[in-house]
Amino acid sequence: MRINPNFFYIFIFATSFDFSQKTSHEIGILTGKASLQTDYGIRGDILSETANNSTSFTIAHYMQFSNNDNWNSRRSILDHIVIKSEINFLNSTDLKHHVNFAENNNNNKQEGENKALSAKEILSKMSGNISMVNFGVQLEYYLKDITRFFNQRNSSKLNPFVNLGVNYSLYSNSVNSALGDWHTNIHFLPEKYRKEGSIKEGSGGAFAFNTGVGTRYKLSRKIDLVAQFKWEIYASDAIDGLQADVIENKSNETLTSLQFGMIYHLNFNKNI
């Protein structure tokens, strides 16, 4: 059954609706590096896992439920939870097959117009591009009471957290070769990508699940600094456009990111 992504957008923006007077709101901006683990390269190879990276940029809204009428009232788990909705932009401009494998007999020459080139050489000339916009919602659980942290009633300026969430990603991909236009000469691609259906360029959407850890640092009453590490797994193997029916192209795409940013409290007229 195909899920209409419009329902997901409604759910995200619903989390930002102020249905209670006992909520606090914040806005945050984060940026950092993201590394895509795709079918480019070899899964598990450190160079393949880390070299295909790009810059990520996030705009986030935070909402927290708390008893603002009396900060010294009975505490609950809600005093440790923040709902975060975000829009994240990512552009990976240089996806490559970062591999270093031994070439066998006859330098692993391929047949066809590129018979003078080895399989490794043709693979090394192949590259890709992925642009993504992610709409997500997450639950962040803070180790320390977030209301007391807001009002600087804790002696420590640090407040670590863990998060768990889901997002919907809109993506656009392309596949290229430095040897020439593979659309007019399929032999510019490695043999495993020459079969019909092995390359699927274009746009699409996919759900993803994510988890991560991070911490806030209380800079002032209205401003926090934040650092977070996040890991995502997509419910799709088509994001990179590589769909060859081989064992190394069976894993869904994943993403790891490390971001730093600033969070600003929006509750001007009341104590949070």
Side-chain angles (χ1 to χ4, degrees), residues 127-145:
S127 63
N129 178 279
I130 301 175
S131 298
M132 301 180 71
V133 180
N134 305 306
F135 303 87
V137 59
Q138 299 157 24
L139 285 179
E140 294 186 343
Y141 180 84
Y142 288 80
L143 300 187
K144 300 176 183 178
D145 186 311

Side-chain angles (χ1 to χ4, degrees), residues 79-143:
D79 297 301
H80 294 264
I81 291 178
V82 171
I83 299 177
K84 175 186 178 184
S85 53
E86 67 176 17
I87 301 177
N88 172 264
F89 304 90
L90 185 146
N91 186 55
S92 186
T93 58
D94 194 25
L95 291 173
K96 290 186 177 181
H97 291 283
H98 297 278
V99 295
N100 183 22
F101 54 85
E103 300 179 73
N104 51 29
N105 296 334
N106 297 321
N107 202 31
N108 202 12
K109 301 293 184 180
Q110 292 198 33
E111 297 179 356
E113 293 188 25
N114 286 320
K115 61 183 178 180
L117 296 175
S118 69
K120 179 180 179 180
E121 290 170 324
I122 296 176
L123 194 64
S124 67
K125 298 296 183 181
M126 186 178 176
S127 63
N129 178 279
I130 301 175
S131 298
M132 301 180 71
V133 180
N134 305 306
F135 303 87
V137 59
Q138 299 157 24
L139 285 179
E140 294 186 343
Y141 180 84
Y142 288 80
L143 300 187

Side-chain angles (χ1 to χ4, degrees), residues 50-63:
T50 59
N52 290 326
N53 55 63
S54 65
T55 300
S56 64
F57 180 77
T58 300
I59 301 174
H61 171 265
Y62 300 81
M63 182 172 66

Side-chain angles (χ1 to χ4, degrees), residues 228-264:
Q228 67 174 28
F229 173 83
K230 188 164 61 174
W231 178 81
E232 301 182 32
I233 182 168
Y234 295 91
S236 172
D237 183 36
I239 293 175
D240 57 7
L242 305 185
Q243 293 289 283
D245 188 19
V246 292
I247 191 170
E248 58 265 34
N249 286 345
K250 296 298 184 181
S251 299
N252 288 6
E253 273 69 72
T254 60
L255 181 143
T256 55
S257 64
L258 179 63
Q259 289 187 310
F260 301 91
M262 182 181 72
I263 300 172
Y264 186 77

